[in-house]
Structure formats: C-alpha cells, structure tokens
Amino acid sequence: MQIRMDKFLADAGFGTRSEVKKKLKTETVMVDGVRIRDAAFRFDPEKQQVTVNGKAVSFQLLSYYMLNKPKGVVSATKDPMEKTVVDLVPDGRRRDLFPVGRLDKDTEGLLIITNDGQLSHRLLSPKHHVKKEYLVLYRGALSPEAEEMLRTGVDIGDEKPTLPAELTLLSPATCILDVQNSDETENIDIHLCLIGITEGRYHEIKRMFAAVGSEVISLKRVSMGKLRLDPSLLPGESRQLTPEELMLLNEG
C-alpha cells in the first residue's frame, strides 16, 4: 500500500503536513537511500526504508492497542485541558490514532486505540450489534420487574427503548472495581452485576439503571465482541494487540 510522504511523516509524529513540507526542504529525508524533497512522493513503507537525518523511521500502517482506560481521562484524540486516551499509548505522538468509540470520563476498562477506520466502523456500526460487557457497581437492589426491564428493553427517554441486554447478578465479594474511588463512604445497599449491551447511546447504562430506580456508582468495560480486557493491565496501561486478539476483535 503506497502512501504520500507528507502523510507518512505527519502520521509518524513529525508534525503537521505543512511542518513536514518544511522538514523535507531543510532536513535529510531518504527512501532506500534516495533523497526525497517532494511531499507528494508516494512509496510503500512496508517494503521501503525511510530515514530522517540518518535515523530509521519505524512505522506500522495499521496499529492496534488495548488500553485499560483509567477514570479521569477523556476518550478523545486531543484536548486542551485534559489528558486523553491517546496520550496513554506508546505511539501517542502519531496523529492518526483514535479510540474506537468512547468511555465516559469516569468509566474505566477496555478501550481499543487504532488507526484502522474500517475496523472501527464495523465495531461501532449499529447494524453489527457488537456486544460490550460492563461490570456495574450500583446502589439499589434490582427487583425482578427491574431485571426483566433491563433484559427486554428500557425507556430511557429516547425515541425507542433500549435493545435487550444480557444481565448477570454477581456477589459484591467478586467486585474488581475500587469502591473508594467512587467517593463512597458507605457500602449500604451496594450491588454488582455484569451487563452486555449492543448499543452505544449517551450514558446508556447509567440511564438504564436510573430508569429502574437504581444508581450506577462505577462502570468498567471488560469486553468488546470476543475480545476481553487483559487482567494484567493496570489502569492507564496499554499494549499492542496480539494477532490472536485481533482475530477475536474481527470476529466480533
């Protein structure tokens, strides 16, 4: 796959396209030993070697990272005030990386960071119904009627009720969420469940639980499609997906 030199260097973190054009004039950029000054020069970075001032530029056209998103970080590519999820991956200086979907600032867990637009579209497209699972720590026990509403669809004030969700009630003793981080001083009437949804509406899970009389305290996404969060990743840590994990993600 061929790519323009200015896009390649910009995506690799060497500046904006206009900055890269100046760099091509003032610095030594070479492809397979040949000096390149034309920003529109096209080449195949998987087959040809690029150097800038004698240093090789290692660059994957498509990158895939698993991030255990911590609370307090925004799901964006850049923000003038806040740290972003892209800042947390090793290739964060690349300009083409983005999160697949978003997690609220106070939600933690599995987030994919990539530059693969086709994969992102497939995972987020409503027609594919890719399931996302969350551990939910909440206050207010669910009645049998509330459980049934969550499983069949809840009116959260949108034009249509939510799609059916998978719900599994868990013992609070199995909770892997940090209750103290939610500023809770009492654990009275605190419960835990695993919920799987196939939509991505605004604050969907929080609104679902509010609609049945409960309050979400903490959320942690633990899976997306067939891909599960690596339990060894601490909040804020990331790593590249393995080929096997990428296959699971593509299977959805």
Side-chain angles (χ1 to χ4, degrees):
M1 176 179 169
Q2 291 199 332
I3 187 172
R4 282 175 56 113
M5 177 57 73
D6 55 354
K7 175 172 171 53
F8 172 82
L9 291 178
D11 288 347
F14 284 91
T16 64
R17 291 234 187 160
S18 59
E19 291 170 341
V20 165
K21 289 178 181 178
K22 295 178 182 178
K23 187 179 292 290
L24 286 166
K25 295 177 181 179
T26 60
E27 301 184 32
T28 305
V29 178
M30 306 184 78
V31 175
D32 292 342
V34 178
R35 176 75 181 268
I36 304 298
R37 294 184 173 86
D38 182 7
F41 176 80
R42 302 184 71 88
F43 69 103
D44 187 340
E46 294 186 345
K47 297 179 181 179
Q48 296 173 276
Q49 177 64 61
V50 180
T51 61
V52 176
N53 295 330
K55 294 183 179 180
V57 180
S58 178
F59 181 75
Q60 290 179 294
L61 284 180
L62 294 177
S63 293
Y64 307 90
Y65 287 93
M66 173 189 294
L67 170 68
N68 185 355
K69 178 193 171 298
K71 296 180 182 179
V73 178
V74 297
S75 296
T77 56
K78 57 183 178 180
D79 189 284
M81 303 295 293
E82 307 278 0
K83 178 177 285 189
T84 74
V85 291
V86 173
D87 294 330
L88 299 179
V89 300
D91 278 351
R93 68 176 188 145
R94 286 181 59 162
R95 306 178 69 88
D96 60 342
L97 294 176
F98 56 86
V100 177
R102 64 184 301 275
L103 294 177
D104 295 336
K105 186 177 179 180
D106 61 351
T107 299
E108 58 185 309
L110 176 64
L111 192 63
I112 303 303
I113 309 294
T114 186
N115 58 348
D116 188 339
Q118 289 186 338
L119 175 66
S120 177
H121 175 74
R122 192 186 67 77
L123 291 174
L124 300 177
S125 173
K127 70 179 182 180
H128 287 110
H129 298 299
V130 175
K131 184 174 71 172
K132 282 81 68 177
E133 288 186 312
Y134 296 79
L135 278 172
V136 186
L137 195 66
Y138 61 98
R139 177 185 285 108
L142 297 173
S143 66
E145 294 77 15
E147 291 180 35
E148 183 64 17
M149 290 173 66
L150 291 173
R151 291 190 172 105
T152 57
V154 185
D155 181 359
I156 59 173
D158 292 342
E159 293 182 1
K160 297 180 180 180
T162 61
L163 291 178
E166 295 181 6
L167 180 69
T168 304
L169 302 184
L170 303 172
S171 166
T174 67
C175 181
I176 65 172
L177 296 173
D178 186 354
V179 180
Q180 292 180 347
N181 285 345
S182 63
D183 297 325
E184 292 296 318
T185 58
E186 298 180 357
N187 292 349
I188 299 173
D189 202 20
I190 300 298
H191 307 271
L192 180 72
C193 72
L194 182 69
I195 190 167
I197 61 173
T198 57
E199 298 178 289
R201 303 192 199 182
Y202 180 70
H203 291 323
E204 182 171 3
I205 293 177
K206 295 176 183 177
R207 294 162 68 196
M208 289 170 67
F209 275 75
V212 297
S214 297
E215 176 192 5
V216 171
I217 297 172
S218 283
L219 275 177
K220 180 170 186 174
R221 185 156 70 188
V222 293
S223 73
M224 190 171 192
K226 294 183 179 181
L227 179 69
R228 302 197 67 80
L229 177 64
D230 183 343
S232 70
L233 282 180
L234 298 176
E237 291 185 342
S238 65
R239 63 166 175 78
Q240 290 192 8
L241 291 182
T242 66
E244 293 76 17
E245 288 172 332
L246 186 56
M247 287 180 62
L248 289 175
L249 200 58
N250 277 296
E251 290 175 4

